[in-house]
Every structure is written in structure tokens, then in C-alpha cells.
Amino acid sequence: MNETDTPTVRTPSAEGEFPAIADPAKPKSAALSIAGDILAGAEAIAEFLFGDRRRRRKVYNLVESGQLPVFRLGVNICARKSVLLDWITRQERGEAAAPSMLSKSGDHTSPLR
């Protein structure tokens, strides 16, 4: 057994948590940025937009009217934080929604079924 074959010993941090082991096969920044960017469910989107999970009905109304840039994972409404922030910025500037958010069929802004 040489130096490269020795096992890595992980010790807990001061908070008692073990550090994550990085998988060299996965690009770390891409996986973390996508996972941390997704809001799953109307409650999470309402918390992000309005600071109150109970405002989920408002989220459903915005989705129904095609005003909110969302997509679906199965039956769940999801949104990317970065897209919502961009959408808010465009709303503040008085700009129209990007054409990609207003596609005609099978899009992520279609009304609830």
C-alpha cells in the first residue's frame, strides 16, 4: 500500500458534522448551483416571492394566468430562483416576459390542469 492507497479519515467539525466527500466524476459547481437554485412546490415559491408559505394560492393564480415562469416535475410546480429574480428585475423595468417563457405548447407557464 503506497501513499495514494491510504484511506482518508474524516473527522467531525466543531458542529459535529462530517465534511462531504467530493465525487471527482461530478462537476461540483454545476450540481450545487442547480440543486440550490430549484424551488419545489407552490409553498416554497410563495416563501421565496412573498416571504409567506401560506401565499401559495397567489402562486397558483399567477401560474394559472401564465404570469409566473415555472416548470413542472411530474405534478409539482417548480421554479428556479435565478429565473424568478430575472423575472422580477424585468417586471421592475417594465419589460415583457422573455419569448422562451411564453411558448405555445407544453411550456412551463401553461395553466394548471
Side-chain angles (χ1 to χ4, degrees), residues 90 97-104 107-109:
R90 285 193 318 275
S100 63
M101 290 184 198
L102 301 174
S103 61
K104 302 241 187 240
D107 66 1
H108 52 278
T109 58

Side-chain angles (χ1 to χ4, degrees), residues 59-95:
V59 171
Y60 290 128
N61 291 337
L62 289 169
V63 171
E64 181 80 26
S65 63
Q67 296 178 19
L68 193 64
V70 300
F71 62 96
R72 294 186 179 275
L73 291 176
V75 296
N76 296 318
I77 299 170
C78 299
R80 291 183 62 158
K81 292 176 188 177
S82 58
V83 171
L84 290 176
L85 290 172
D86 184 50
W87 173 75
I88 290 168
T89 301
R90 285 193 318 275
Q91 296 292 316
E92 291 172 338
R93 292 181 190 155
E95 298 174 11

Side-chain angles (χ1 to χ4, degrees), residues 3-52:
E3 280 185 34
T4 59
D5 293 336
T6 58
T8 302
V9 177
R10 298 184 322 158
T11 57
S13 66
E15 294 81 27
E17 297 178 8
F18 284 92
I21 296 176
D23 182 358
K26 293 182 181 179
K28 187 176 182 180
S29 62
L32 291 177
S33 67
I34 292 172
D37 195 32
I38 302 229
L39 296 166
E43 287 184 353
I45 296 168
E47 175 73 29
F48 183 76
L49 290 176
F50 307 114
D52 187 353

